[in-house]
Amino acid sequence: MEITGLCKAFPGVQALDNARLSLRSGSIHALMGENGAGKSTMMKCLFGIYRKDRGEILFEGKPVSFQNPREALDSGVSMVHQELNQVSQRSVMENIWLGRFPGAGILVNERKMYGDTKKILENIGLSIDPKEKIENLSVSQRQMAEIARAISYNAKVIVLDEPTSSLTETEVEHLFEVIRLLRDKGCGIVYISHKMEEILAVSDEVTVMRDGRWVETAPAGALTTDKIISLIVGRELLNRFPKKENVPAEEVLLKVENLRGAYQPAVLDASFELHRGEILGIVGLMGSRRTEMVETIFGMRKKESGDIYVKGKKVNISSAKQAIGLGLSLVTEERRQTGIFDMLSVTFNTIIANLDAYCRFGVLNDAEINKDTDGIIQRLRIKTPSRKTKIQNLSGGNQQKVIIGRWLLTQSDIVMMDEPTRGIDVGSKYEIYQLINDLAKNGKAVLFVSSEMPEVLGLSDRILVMSGGRVAGVIDARGATQEEIMRLAAKYL
Ligand SMILES: Nc1ncnc2c1ncn2[C@@H]1O[C@H](COP(=O)(O)OP(=O)(O)OP(=O)(O)O)[C@@H](O)[C@H]1O
Ligand SMILES: [Mg+2]
């Protein structure tokens, strides 16, 4: 596959400006670049989702211009999207075969569909029932089901747009095995990811884009993490973490005692304290119920027993609204389901949690709303043509930044973040780290869940390790080692 001179403009942005990519068969090609660099757009032009303005795409030597994804799939080009778009009320097999059910006419050959699906799932080592409804699957299982769908088309080119952002380490290893297998069968694979270590481990070649343009293509063996980072951000980035400047105080802002959630999967037993000015990192394996714990504190999930104290006062939180009123905020993990109002503007998405602050005598203060939104756009360097742009038109990483901005505006004292840097590029990660630091320095208490160990070690004052729904230990981040953390993470398995 040879893409050259690809251009694509959206109102207010030149998303692609002479972009190019040259994909060999039997290779894994990593595509990297900042949030909004144009990675997804280039692939969507290829896949027939967007119409390109200019440029040429050669597939097996012949010019192609797929008019829609269907055409692309039929020609052997398949894509797993960054934002999953599955029909959650339908089964795994229906999602895989949607629009091309085996059988004649209206008679769907269910047994064949079941058998074929099972075979594909087994091939990629996924032990889920083809008849299971998508909504009952975890995010990672859903991701794997999407990959199974791509494979089911016998594709020659497979594009994976940030496939591992919600997978565990074992799942990632597994996925790598699968794509290496596909590569060895002669597939060309485009692999989009922000994770340096992954890229170096799995890819044969790397292409870096910036501002819609091609920057460099090189064999992975010739690159180092530092080199890639400087290509991506266009300058040297000396440190991956800002210097710590916060000083945790004695005062306890949040205290949780024997917290237990009502509905499975639930947090089983959590007790901890969070101090003013402190950054508490929360780690654990996938399934350790970190998300469940923070969502229970925030009133999004029903509590069964246990006590929560905010600034020394015992509170009863049964809704997110109450939590916000008490000075808590939560940046959620699954932004597609719990965070984003797709069709609405960046402005709306930024201010929604803080609406009361702009409302006087039932009238919204637009000037203030706009000022605050612009402030957030600047501070977090959100790439958007204007604050009126629909959030769905922002790149994945920039949507995440809007959500973080939303919670900054609420001025809450206790800021909880669930995987705040998922899908965020290296440069912006640094800014989010800086922001977390600043929050703590200014006397807020920050709790963040993360699956990236370096980030937890680099940012936290203390680290809380969860295992099987329980707090397995809280340790000082200074001097903490990965081994110690992993041992705690396995304590209640
Ligand atoms: N449908 C659309 N309408 C308007 N603008 C869009 C649309 N899709 C993408 N853009 C803009 O095009 C630019 C490139 O976005 P793209 O999604 O390709 O970035 P990306 O490299 O995939 O970033 P990320 O790492 O955050 O996923 C961004 O400025 C984005 O806001
Ligand atoms: Mg993208």
Side-chain angles (χ1 to χ4, degrees), residues 80-82 84 139-140 142-144 146-147 159-168 171-172 175-176 179 189-195 198-199 202:
V80 175
H81 291 276
Q82 185 171 12
L84 295 181
V139 188
S140 60
R142 264 181 268 161
Q143 192 95 41
M144 288 305 263
E146 255 323 88
I147 292 164
V159 177
L160 301 169
D161 197 349
E162 296 192 40
T164 60
S165 52
S166 43
L167 303 189
T168 63
E171 286 167 328
V172 171
L175 173 71
F176 284 0
I179 64 177
I189 292 158
V190 179
Y191 191 89
I192 302 180
S193 170
H194 290 290
K195 299 184 184 167
E198 251 180 27
I199 294 294
V202 78

PDB file of all heavy atoms in Angstrom, residues 80-82 84 139-140 142-144 146-147 159-168 171-172 175-176 179 189-195 198-199 202:
ATOM      1  N   VAL A  80      -9.577  -1.451  12.611  1.00  0.00           N
ATOM      2  CA  VAL A  80     -10.145  -1.480  13.956  1.00  0.00           C
ATOM      3  C   VAL A  80     -10.043  -0.071  14.501  1.00  0.00           C
ATOM      4  O   VAL A  80      -8.955   0.487  14.614  1.00  0.00           O
ATOM      5  CB  VAL A  80      -9.359  -2.443  14.871  1.00  0.00           C
ATOM      6  CG1 VAL A  80      -9.885  -2.377  16.287  1.00  0.00           C
ATOM      7  CG2 VAL A  80      -9.450  -3.861  14.334  1.00  0.00           C
ATOM      8  N   HIS A  81     -11.184   0.505  14.828  1.00  0.00           N
ATOM      9  CA  HIS A  81     -11.199   1.925  15.163  1.00  0.00           C
ATOM     10  C   HIS A  81     -10.801   2.228  16.580  1.00  0.00           C
ATOM     11  O   HIS A  81     -10.960   1.419  17.484  1.00  0.00           O
ATOM     12  CB  HIS A  81     -12.576   2.510  14.880  1.00  0.00           C
ATOM     13  CG  HIS A  81     -12.880   2.562  13.428  1.00  0.00           C
ATOM     14  ND1 HIS A  81     -12.459   3.585  12.632  1.00  0.00           N
ATOM     15  CD2 HIS A  81     -13.515   1.681  12.626  1.00  0.00           C
ATOM     16  CE1 HIS A  81     -12.832   3.348  11.387  1.00  0.00           C
ATOM     17  NE2 HIS A  81     -13.480   2.195  11.353  1.00  0.00           N
ATOM     18  N   GLN A  82     -10.322   3.461  16.734  1.00  0.00           N
ATOM     19  CA  GLN A  82      -9.929   3.975  18.034  1.00  0.00           C
ATOM     20  C   GLN A  82     -11.140   4.014  18.967  1.00  0.00           C
ATOM     21  O   GLN A  82     -11.062   3.606  20.117  1.00  0.00           O
ATOM     22  CB  GLN A  82      -9.394   5.386  17.796  1.00  0.00           C
ATOM     23  CG  GLN A  82      -8.827   6.086  18.984  1.00  0.00           C
ATOM     24  CD  GLN A  82      -8.128   7.376  18.532  1.00  0.00           C
ATOM     25  OE1 GLN A  82      -8.265   7.825  17.403  1.00  0.00           O
ATOM     26  NE2 GLN A  82      -7.368   7.964  19.426  1.00  0.00           N
ATOM     27  N   LEU A  84     -14.561   2.443  19.645  1.00  0.00           N
ATOM     28  CA  LEU A  84     -15.324   1.269  19.233  1.00  0.00           C
ATOM     29  C   LEU A  84     -16.748   1.646  18.890  1.00  0.00           C
ATOM     30  O   LEU A  84     -17.379   2.445  19.547  1.00  0.00           O
ATOM     31  CB  LEU A  84     -15.321   0.230  20.350  1.00  0.00           C
ATOM     32  CG  LEU A  84     -13.946  -0.352  20.649  1.00  0.00           C
ATOM     33  CD1 LEU A  84     -14.054  -1.382  21.755  1.00  0.00           C
ATOM     34  CD2 LEU A  84     -13.347  -0.976  19.405  1.00  0.00           C
ATOM     35  N   VAL A 139     -14.158  -3.868  28.186  1.00  0.00           N
ATOM     36  CA  VAL A 139     -13.641  -3.057  27.089  1.00  0.00           C
ATOM     37  C   VAL A 139     -12.607  -3.841  26.288  1.00  0.00           C
ATOM     38  O   VAL A 139     -12.599  -3.821  25.062  1.00  0.00           O
ATOM     39  CB  VAL A 139     -12.949  -1.771  27.604  1.00  0.00           C
ATOM     40  CG1 VAL A 139     -12.601  -0.865  26.450  1.00  0.00           C
ATOM     41  CG2 VAL A 139     -13.854  -1.052  28.579  1.00  0.00           C
ATOM     42  N   SER A 140     -11.745  -4.558  26.998  1.00  0.00           N
ATOM     43  CA  SER A 140     -10.678  -5.259  26.289  1.00  0.00           C
ATOM     44  C   SER A 140     -11.231  -6.405  25.450  1.00  0.00           C
ATOM     45  O   SER A 140     -10.771  -6.660  24.346  1.00  0.00           O
ATOM     46  CB  SER A 140      -9.638  -5.779  27.277  1.00  0.00           C
ATOM     47  OG  SER A 140     -10.226  -6.668  28.170  1.00  0.00           O
ATOM     48  N   ARG A 142     -14.132  -6.417  24.107  1.00  0.00           N
ATOM     49  CA  ARG A 142     -14.775  -5.793  22.962  1.00  0.00           C
ATOM     50  C   ARG A 142     -13.743  -5.447  21.896  1.00  0.00           C
ATOM     51  O   ARG A 142     -13.959  -5.607  20.709  1.00  0.00           O
ATOM     52  CB  ARG A 142     -15.501  -4.515  23.400  1.00  0.00           C
ATOM     53  CG  ARG A 142     -16.947  -4.758  23.675  1.00  0.00           C
ATOM     54  CD  ARG A 142     -17.628  -3.487  24.066  1.00  0.00           C
ATOM     55  NE  ARG A 142     -17.609  -3.326  25.513  1.00  0.00           N
ATOM     56  CZ  ARG A 142     -17.804  -2.182  26.134  1.00  0.00           C
ATOM     57  NH1 ARG A 142     -18.013  -1.084  25.449  1.00  0.00           N
ATOM     58  NH2 ARG A 142     -17.785  -2.129  27.429  1.00  0.00           N
ATOM     59  N   GLN A 143     -12.604  -4.967  22.372  1.00  0.00           N
ATOM     60  CA  GLN A 143     -11.520  -4.629  21.467  1.00  0.00           C
ATOM     61  C   GLN A 143     -11.073  -5.868  20.692  1.00  0.00           C
ATOM     62  O   GLN A 143     -10.885  -5.832  19.486  1.00  0.00           O
ATOM     63  CB  GLN A 143     -10.355  -4.100  22.301  1.00  0.00           C
ATOM     64  CG  GLN A 143      -9.280  -3.447  21.504  1.00  0.00           C
ATOM     65  CD  GLN A 143      -9.471  -1.954  21.450  1.00  0.00           C
ATOM     66  OE1 GLN A 143      -9.824  -1.346  22.447  1.00  0.00           O
ATOM     67  NE2 GLN A 143      -9.262  -1.361  20.303  1.00  0.00           N
ATOM     68  N   MET A 144     -10.924  -6.968  21.417  1.00  0.00           N
ATOM     69  CA  MET A 144     -10.483  -8.200  20.761  1.00  0.00           C
ATOM     70  C   MET A 144     -11.542  -8.682  19.766  1.00  0.00           C
ATOM     71  O   MET A 144     -11.216  -9.212  18.708  1.00  0.00           O
ATOM     72  CB  MET A 144     -10.184  -9.293  21.795  1.00  0.00           C
ATOM     73  CG  MET A 144      -8.908  -9.064  22.604  1.00  0.00           C
ATOM     74  SD  MET A 144      -7.413  -8.817  21.612  1.00  0.00           S
ATOM     75  CE  MET A 144      -6.719 -10.457  21.614  1.00  0.00           C
ATOM     76  N   GLU A 146     -13.414  -6.820  18.012  1.00  0.00           N
ATOM     77  CA  GLU A 146     -13.236  -5.971  16.832  1.00  0.00           C
ATOM     78  C   GLU A 146     -12.098  -6.502  15.963  1.00  0.00           C
ATOM     79  O   GLU A 146     -12.167  -6.520  14.740  1.00  0.00           O
ATOM     80  CB  GLU A 146     -12.870  -4.552  17.260  1.00  0.00           C
ATOM     81  CG  GLU A 146     -13.918  -3.481  17.168  1.00  0.00           C
ATOM     82  CD  GLU A 146     -14.852  -3.541  15.996  1.00  0.00           C
ATOM     83  OE1 GLU A 146     -15.885  -4.226  16.150  1.00  0.00           O
ATOM     84  OE2 GLU A 146     -14.599  -2.919  14.950  1.00  0.00           O
ATOM     85  N   ILE A 147     -11.033  -6.923  16.647  1.00  0.00           N
ATOM     86  CA  ILE A 147      -9.890  -7.454  15.922  1.00  0.00           C
ATOM     87  C   ILE A 147     -10.285  -8.753  15.207  1.00  0.00           C
ATOM     88  O   ILE A 147      -9.921  -8.978  14.056  1.00  0.00           O
ATOM     89  CB  ILE A 147      -8.692  -7.641  16.872  1.00  0.00           C
ATOM     90  CG1 ILE A 147      -8.208  -6.260  17.306  1.00  0.00           C
ATOM     91  CG2 ILE A 147      -7.569  -8.428  16.204  1.00  0.00           C
ATOM     92  CD1 ILE A 147      -7.301  -6.250  18.499  1.00  0.00           C
ATOM     93  N   VAL A 159      -5.583  -2.136   9.691  1.00  0.00           N
ATOM     94  CA  VAL A 159      -5.204  -0.939  10.430  1.00  0.00           C
ATOM     95  C   VAL A 159      -5.718  -1.084  11.855  1.00  0.00           C
ATOM     96  O   VAL A 159      -6.903  -1.349  12.078  1.00  0.00           O
ATOM     97  CB  VAL A 159      -5.843   0.312   9.784  1.00  0.00           C
ATOM     98  CG1 VAL A 159      -5.498   1.550  10.590  1.00  0.00           C
ATOM     99  CG2 VAL A 159      -5.394   0.456   8.335  1.00  0.00           C
ATOM    100  N   LEU A 160      -4.825  -0.928  12.809  1.00  0.00           N
ATOM    101  CA  LEU A 160      -5.232  -0.977  14.211  1.00  0.00           C
ATOM    102  C   LEU A 160      -4.996   0.395  14.825  1.00  0.00           C
ATOM    103  O   LEU A 160      -3.855   0.823  14.979  1.00  0.00           O
ATOM    104  CB  LEU A 160      -4.412  -2.037  14.964  1.00  0.00           C
ATOM    105  CG  LEU A 160      -4.503  -3.464  14.436  1.00  0.00           C
ATOM    106  CD1 LEU A 160      -3.446  -4.346  15.092  1.00  0.00           C
ATOM    107  CD2 LEU A 160      -5.884  -4.032  14.713  1.00  0.00           C
ATOM    108  N   ASP A 161      -6.081   1.091  15.140  1.00  0.00           N
ATOM    109  CA  ASP A 161      -5.956   2.445  15.681  1.00  0.00           C
ATOM    110  C   ASP A 161      -6.003   2.376  17.203  1.00  0.00           C
ATOM    111  O   ASP A 161      -7.066   2.181  17.787  1.00  0.00           O
ATOM    112  CB  ASP A 161      -7.067   3.332  15.123  1.00  0.00           C
ATOM    113  CG  ASP A 161      -6.767   4.814  15.292  1.00  0.00           C
ATOM    114  OD1 ASP A 161      -5.806   5.147  16.011  1.00  0.00           O
ATOM    115  OD2 ASP A 161      -7.493   5.638  14.708  1.00  0.00           O
ATOM    116  N   GLU A 162      -4.879   2.507  17.831  1.00  0.00           N
ATOM    117  CA  GLU A 162      -4.735   2.407  19.291  1.00  0.00           C
ATOM    118  C   GLU A 162      -5.463   1.203  19.880  1.00  0.00           C
ATOM    119  O   GLU A 162      -6.335   1.345  20.723  1.00  0.00           O
ATOM    120  CB  GLU A 162      -5.217   3.696  19.957  1.00  0.00           C
ATOM    121  CG  GLU A 162      -4.346   4.873  19.564  1.00  0.00           C
ATOM    122  CD  GLU A 162      -4.601   6.095  20.426  1.00  0.00           C
ATOM    123  OE1 GLU A 162      -4.790   5.928  21.635  1.00  0.00           O
ATOM    124  OE2 GLU A 162      -4.603   7.199  19.869  1.00  0.00           O
ATOM    125  N   PRO A 163      -5.057   0.011  19.447  1.00  0.00           N
ATOM    126  CA  PRO A 163      -5.787  -1.171  19.889  1.00  0.00           C
ATOM    127  C   PRO A 163      -5.521  -1.549  21.336  1.00  0.00           C
ATOM    128  O   PRO A 163      -6.310  -2.244  21.946  1.00  0.00           O
ATOM    129  CB  PRO A 163      -5.255  -2.275  18.962  1.00  0.00           C
ATOM    130  CG  PRO A 163      -3.894  -1.824  18.598  1.00  0.00           C
ATOM    131  CD  PRO A 163      -3.951  -0.334  18.541  1.00  0.00           C
ATOM    132  N   THR A 164      -4.419  -1.108  21.906  1.00  0.00           N
ATOM    133  CA  THR A 164      -4.074  -1.621  23.232  1.00  0.00           C
ATOM    134  C   THR A 164      -4.404  -0.662  24.350  1.00  0.00           C
ATOM    135  O   THR A 164      -4.099  -0.928  25.498  1.00  0.00           O
ATOM    136  CB  THR A 164      -2.573  -1.923  23.327  1.00  0.00           C
ATOM    137  OG1 THR A 164      -1.856  -0.718  23.085  1.00  0.00           O
ATOM    138  CG2 THR A 164      -2.160  -2.971  22.340  1.00  0.00           C
ATOM    139  N   SER A 165      -5.059   0.454  24.038  1.00  0.00           N
ATOM    140  CA  SER A 165      -5.233   1.454  25.093  1.00  0.00           C
ATOM    141  C   SER A 165      -5.987   0.886  26.285  1.00  0.00           C
ATOM    142  O   SER A 165      -5.853   1.377  27.383  1.00  0.00           O
ATOM    143  CB  SER A 165      -5.905   2.705  24.545  1.00  0.00           C
ATOM    144  OG  SER A 165      -7.069   2.359  23.869  1.00  0.00           O
ATOM    145  N   SER A 166      -6.783  -0.165  26.087  1.00  0.00           N
ATOM    146  CA  SER A 166      -7.472  -0.698  27.264  1.00  0.00           C
ATOM    147  C   SER A 166      -7.182  -2.168  27.511  1.00  0.00           C
ATOM    148  O   SER A 166      -7.964  -2.866  28.120  1.00  0.00           O
ATOM    149  CB  SER A 166      -8.970  -0.464  27.129  1.00  0.00           C
ATOM    150  OG  SER A 166      -9.380  -0.756  25.823  1.00  0.00           O
ATOM    151  N   LEU A 167      -6.039  -2.642  27.041  1.00  0.00           N
ATOM    152  CA  LEU A 167      -5.705  -4.047  27.264  1.00  0.00           C
ATOM    153  C   LEU A 167      -4.685  -4.210  28.396  1.00  0.00           C
ATOM    154  O   LEU A 167      -3.879  -3.332  28.634  1.00  0.00           O
ATOM    155  CB  LEU A 167      -5.127  -4.664  25.990  1.00  0.00           C
ATOM    156  CG  LEU A 167      -5.971  -4.616  24.722  1.00  0.00           C
ATOM    157  CD1 LEU A 167      -5.337  -5.465  23.641  1.00  0.00           C
ATOM    158  CD2 LEU A 167      -7.385  -5.087  24.976  1.00  0.00           C
ATOM    159  N   THR A 168      -4.753  -5.361  29.068  1.00  0.00           N
ATOM    160  CA  THR A 168      -3.743  -5.653  30.082  1.00  0.00           C
ATOM    161  C   THR A 168      -2.469  -6.125  29.399  1.00  0.00           C
ATOM    162  O   THR A 168      -2.461  -6.413  28.208  1.00  0.00           O
ATOM    163  CB  THR A 168      -4.179  -6.804  31.000  1.00  0.00           C
ATOM    164  OG1 THR A 168      -4.320  -7.980  30.192  1.00  0.00           O
ATOM    165  CG2 THR A 168      -5.478  -6.505  31.688  1.00  0.00           C
ATOM    166  N   GLU A 171      -2.852  -9.394  27.697  1.00  0.00           N
ATOM    167  CA  GLU A 171      -3.665  -9.245  26.496  1.00  0.00           C
ATOM    168  C   GLU A 171      -2.867  -8.602  25.369  1.00  0.00           C
ATOM    169  O   GLU A 171      -3.000  -8.961  24.204  1.00  0.00           O
ATOM    170  CB  GLU A 171      -4.913  -8.415  26.805  1.00  0.00           C
ATOM    171  CG  GLU A 171      -5.940  -9.181  27.605  1.00  0.00           C
ATOM    172  CD  GLU A 171      -7.019  -8.285  28.184  1.00  0.00           C
ATOM    173  OE1 GLU A 171      -6.742  -7.124  28.515  1.00  0.00           O
ATOM    174  OE2 GLU A 171      -8.155  -8.749  28.318  1.00  0.00           O
ATOM    175  N   VAL A 172      -2.028  -7.643  25.741  1.00  0.00           N
ATOM    176  CA  VAL A 172      -1.197  -6.987  24.735  1.00  0.00           C
ATOM    177  C   VAL A 172      -0.230  -8.005  24.127  1.00  0.00           C
ATOM    178  O   VAL A 172      -0.092  -8.099  22.912  1.00  0.00           O
ATOM    179  CB  VAL A 172      -0.409  -5.809  25.353  1.00  0.00           C
ATOM    180  CG1 VAL A 172       0.602  -5.273  24.361  1.00  0.00           C
ATOM    181  CG2 VAL A 172      -1.362  -4.699  25.770  1.00  0.00           C
ATOM    182  N   LEU A 175      -2.108 -10.040  21.783  1.00  0.00           N
ATOM    183  CA  LEU A 175      -2.410  -9.314  20.548  1.00  0.00           C
ATOM    184  C   LEU A 175      -1.176  -9.277  19.646  1.00  0.00           C
ATOM    185  O   LEU A 175      -1.261  -9.464  18.427  1.00  0.00           O
ATOM    186  CB  LEU A 175      -2.867  -7.889  20.881  1.00  0.00           C
ATOM    187  CG  LEU A 175      -3.041  -6.975  19.672  1.00  0.00           C
ATOM    188  CD1 LEU A 175      -4.265  -7.393  18.877  1.00  0.00           C
ATOM    189  CD2 LEU A 175      -3.171  -5.525  20.104  1.00  0.00           C
ATOM    190  N   PHE A 176      -0.029  -9.059  20.269  1.00  0.00           N
ATOM    191  CA  PHE A 176       1.210  -9.023  19.488  1.00  0.00           C
ATOM    192  C   PHE A 176       1.447 -10.350  18.781  1.00  0.00           C
ATOM    193  O   PHE A 176       1.851 -10.389  17.627  1.00  0.00           O
ATOM    194  CB  PHE A 176       2.400  -8.699  20.391  1.00  0.00           C
ATOM    195  CG  PHE A 176       2.480  -7.246  20.766  1.00  0.00           C
ATOM    196  CD1 PHE A 176       1.527  -6.351  20.308  1.00  0.00           C
ATOM    197  CD2 PHE A 176       3.498  -6.763  21.570  1.00  0.00           C
ATOM    198  CE1 PHE A 176       1.576  -5.010  20.636  1.00  0.00           C
ATOM    199  CE2 PHE A 176       3.570  -5.424  21.908  1.00  0.00           C
ATOM    200  CZ  PHE A 176       2.611  -4.549  21.451  1.00  0.00           C
ATOM    201  N   ILE A 179      -0.834 -10.415  15.808  1.00  0.00           N
ATOM    202  CA  ILE A 179      -0.469  -9.605  14.637  1.00  0.00           C
ATOM    203  C   ILE A 179       0.844 -10.063  14.010  1.00  0.00           C
ATOM    204  O   ILE A 179       1.034  -9.944  12.812  1.00  0.00           O
ATOM    205  CB  ILE A 179      -0.483  -8.077  14.905  1.00  0.00           C
ATOM    206  CG1 ILE A 179       0.544  -7.658  15.930  1.00  0.00           C
ATOM    207  CG2 ILE A 179      -1.840  -7.594  15.309  1.00  0.00           C
ATOM    208  CD1 ILE A 179       0.548  -6.144  16.114  1.00  0.00           C
ATOM    209  N   ILE A 189       0.407  -4.471   8.248  1.00  0.00           N
ATOM    210  CA  ILE A 189      -0.349  -3.981   9.390  1.00  0.00           C
ATOM    211  C   ILE A 189       0.080  -2.567   9.767  1.00  0.00           C
ATOM    212  O   ILE A 189       1.271  -2.291   9.940  1.00  0.00           O
ATOM    213  CB  ILE A 189      -0.158  -4.929  10.590  1.00  0.00           C
ATOM    214  CG1 ILE A 189      -0.843  -6.256  10.271  1.00  0.00           C
ATOM    215  CG2 ILE A 189      -0.760  -4.332  11.864  1.00  0.00           C
ATOM    216  CD1 ILE A 189      -0.353  -7.410  11.035  1.00  0.00           C
ATOM    217  N   VAL A 190      -0.894  -1.678   9.834  1.00  0.00           N
ATOM    218  CA  VAL A 190      -0.604  -0.325  10.314  1.00  0.00           C
ATOM    219  C   VAL A 190      -1.009  -0.280  11.773  1.00  0.00           C
ATOM    220  O   VAL A 190      -2.149  -0.591  12.126  1.00  0.00           O
ATOM    221  CB  VAL A 190      -1.396   0.750   9.531  1.00  0.00           C
ATOM    222  CG1 VAL A 190      -1.079   2.136  10.080  1.00  0.00           C
ATOM    223  CG2 VAL A 190      -1.080   0.672   8.048  1.00  0.00           C
ATOM    224  N   TYR A 191      -0.055   0.107  12.595  1.00  0.00           N
ATOM    225  CA  TYR A 191      -0.270   0.045  14.027  1.00  0.00           C
ATOM    226  C   TYR A 191      -0.134   1.446  14.620  1.00  0.00           C
ATOM    227  O   TYR A 191       0.954   2.010  14.668  1.00  0.00           O
ATOM    228  CB  TYR A 191       0.781  -0.897  14.625  1.00  0.00           C
ATOM    229  CG  TYR A 191       0.524  -1.266  16.051  1.00  0.00           C
ATOM    230  CD1 TYR A 191      -0.244  -2.363  16.360  1.00  0.00           C
ATOM    231  CD2 TYR A 191       1.051  -0.498  17.087  1.00  0.00           C
ATOM    232  CE1 TYR A 191      -0.498  -2.698  17.672  1.00  0.00           C
ATOM    233  CE2 TYR A 191       0.808  -0.830  18.397  1.00  0.00           C
ATOM    234  CZ  TYR A 191       0.033  -1.928  18.690  1.00  0.00           C
ATOM    235  OH  TYR A 191      -0.224  -2.253  19.985  1.00  0.00           O
ATOM    236  N   ILE A 192      -1.267   2.011  15.054  1.00  0.00           N
ATOM    237  CA  ILE A 192      -1.225   3.363  15.627  1.00  0.00           C
ATOM    238  C   ILE A 192      -1.203   3.259  17.145  1.00  0.00           C
ATOM    239  O   ILE A 192      -2.044   2.577  17.735  1.00  0.00           O
ATOM    240  CB  ILE A 192      -2.462   4.183  15.191  1.00  0.00           C
ATOM    241  CG1 ILE A 192      -2.528   4.254  13.660  1.00  0.00           C
ATOM    242  CG2 ILE A 192      -2.428   5.573  15.804  1.00  0.00           C
ATOM    243  CD1 ILE A 192      -3.715   5.030  13.123  1.00  0.00           C
ATOM    244  N   SER A 193      -0.226   3.897  17.759  1.00  0.00           N
ATOM    245  CA  SER A 193      -0.142   3.837  19.214  1.00  0.00           C
ATOM    246  C   SER A 193       0.698   4.987  19.747  1.00  0.00           C
ATOM    247  O   SER A 193       1.526   5.543  19.035  1.00  0.00           O
ATOM    248  CB  SER A 193       0.472   2.507  19.647  1.00  0.00           C
ATOM    249  OG  SER A 193       0.776   2.515  21.017  1.00  0.00           O
ATOM    250  N   HIS A 194       0.435   5.334  21.018  1.00  0.00           N
ATOM    251  CA  HIS A 194       1.264   6.357  21.663  1.00  0.00           C
ATOM    252  C   HIS A 194       2.288   5.718  22.587  1.00  0.00           C
ATOM    253  O   HIS A 194       3.037   6.407  23.259  1.00  0.00           O
ATOM    254  CB  HIS A 194       0.386   7.307  22.477  1.00  0.00           C
ATOM    255  CG  HIS A 194      -0.471   8.190  21.621  1.00  0.00           C
ATOM    256  ND1 HIS A 194       0.052   9.208  20.859  1.00  0.00           N
ATOM    257  CD2 HIS A 194      -1.795   8.205  21.391  1.00  0.00           C
ATOM    258  CE1 HIS A 194      -0.926   9.804  20.208  1.00  0.00           C
ATOM    259  NE2 HIS A 194      -2.062   9.212  20.498  1.00  0.00           N
ATOM    260  N   LYS A 195       2.286   4.399  22.651  1.00  0.00           N
ATOM    261  CA  LYS A 195       3.155   3.744  23.623  1.00  0.00           C
ATOM    262  C   LYS A 195       4.505   3.364  23.022  1.00  0.00           C
ATOM    263  O   LYS A 195       4.614   2.414  22.259  1.00  0.00           O
ATOM    264  CB  LYS A 195       2.461   2.502  24.181  1.00  0.00           C
ATOM    265  CG  LYS A 195       1.163   2.839  24.886  1.00  0.00           C
ATOM    266  CD  LYS A 195       0.554   1.610  25.517  1.00  0.00           C
ATOM    267  CE  LYS A 195      -0.795   1.935  26.138  1.00  0.00           C
ATOM    268  NZ  LYS A 195      -1.539   0.719  26.483  1.00  0.00           N
ATOM    269  N   GLU A 198       5.951  -0.257  23.304  1.00  0.00           N
ATOM    270  CA  GLU A 198       5.234  -1.172  22.437  1.00  0.00           C
ATOM    271  C   GLU A 198       5.716  -1.094  21.003  1.00  0.00           C
ATOM    272  O   GLU A 198       5.935  -2.103  20.344  1.00  0.00           O
ATOM    273  CB  GLU A 198       3.767  -0.736  22.418  1.00  0.00           C
ATOM    274  CG  GLU A 198       2.891  -1.658  23.143  1.00  0.00           C
ATOM    275  CD  GLU A 198       1.469  -1.169  23.078  1.00  0.00           C
ATOM    276  OE1 GLU A 198       1.066  -0.465  22.135  1.00  0.00           O
ATOM    277  OE2 GLU A 198       0.752  -1.518  24.010  1.00  0.00           O
ATOM    278  N   ILE A 199       5.858   0.123  20.557  1.00  0.00           N
ATOM    279  CA  ILE A 199       6.238   0.352  19.170  1.00  0.00           C
ATOM    280  C   ILE A 199       7.569  -0.309  18.872  1.00  0.00           C
ATOM    281  O   ILE A 199       7.742  -1.000  17.872  1.00  0.00           O
ATOM    282  CB  ILE A 199       6.346   1.876  18.907  1.00  0.00           C
ATOM    283  CG1 ILE A 199       4.972   2.517  19.035  1.00  0.00           C
ATOM    284  CG2 ILE A 199       6.972   2.161  17.569  1.00  0.00           C
ATOM    285  CD1 ILE A 199       3.993   2.100  17.992  1.00  0.00           C
ATOM    286  N   VAL A 202       7.211  -4.210  18.739  1.00  0.00           N
ATOM    287  CA  VAL A 202       6.427  -4.949  17.762  1.00  0.00           C
ATOM    288  C   VAL A 202       6.615  -4.523  16.306  1.00  0.00           C
ATOM    289  O   VAL A 202       6.386  -5.301  15.397  1.00  0.00           O
ATOM    290  CB  VAL A 202       4.923  -4.915  18.138  1.00  0.00           C
ATOM    291  CG1 VAL A 202       4.307  -3.588  17.757  1.00  0.00           C
ATOM    292  CG2 VAL A 202       4.174  -6.071  17.517  1.00  0.00           C
TER     293      VAL A 202
END
